[in-house]
Amino acid sequence: QVQLVESGGGLVQPGGSLRLSCAASGMIFSINGIRWYRQPPGKQRELVAGITSRGSTNYVDSVKGRFTISRDNAKGTVYLQMNSLKIEDTAVYFCNADRTVNGKTYDYWGRGTQVTVSS
């Protein structure tokens, strides 16, 4: 089993910054990658950023140049640095990890942290 806990959300003005954290515990040695998703109010969940076991990263076009995903393997923590925040970034942000056992992949989710961008 893998447990994920997000933190760092809050209220910020447009143009401001926040750093989200995702702390992983349990069978973390078998995690393939970590991703951040978000769900704006009244909209579908979308993939925001991901980091693989090799350390490569990827971002949805709308956050490129503004968001940065990184990891601290010793702490079992992944971060999402969010700069130049826009109103449309308002959402619940979720951490997701995948783990493969005997060729089958399993997904694990945190409960989310609220990010509100408002003037």
Side-chain angles (χ1 to χ4, degrees), residues 10-74:
L11 175 64
V12 64
Q13 294 182 340
S17 299
L18 283 174
R19 189 180 75 162
L20 305 183
S21 298
C22 173
S25 61
M27 306 290 284
I28 60 176
F29 64 88
S30 59
I31 290 176
N32 296 319
I34 299 286
R35 299 173 180 86
W36 285 98
Y37 288 79
R38 68 185 179 187
Q39 186 166 14
K43 297 183 178 180
Q44 298 296 315
R45 181 190 66 185
E46 69 171 347
L47 176 63
V48 178
I51 186 166
T52 71
S53 60
R54 299 180 181 179
S56 62
T57 59
N58 201 10
Y59 304 89
V60 68
D61 286 344
S62 61
V63 309
K64 288 182 178 178
R66 300 189 297 120
F67 290 12
T68 303
I69 188 171
S70 62
R71 68 185 183 188
D72 185 334
N73 290 335

Side-chain angles (χ1 to χ4, degrees), residues 4-11 18-22 36-39 80 82 89-95 110-116:
L4 304 173
V5 180
E6 304 95 336
S7 62
L11 175 64
L18 283 174
R19 189 180 75 162
L20 305 183
S21 298
C22 173
W36 285 98
Y37 288 79
R38 68 185 179 187
Q39 186 166 14
L80 185 67
M82 306 186 296
D89 294 320
T90 295
V92 178
Y93 284 71
F94 297 92
C95 185
R111 293 191 174 187
T113 185
Q114 176 71 50
V115 172
T116 302

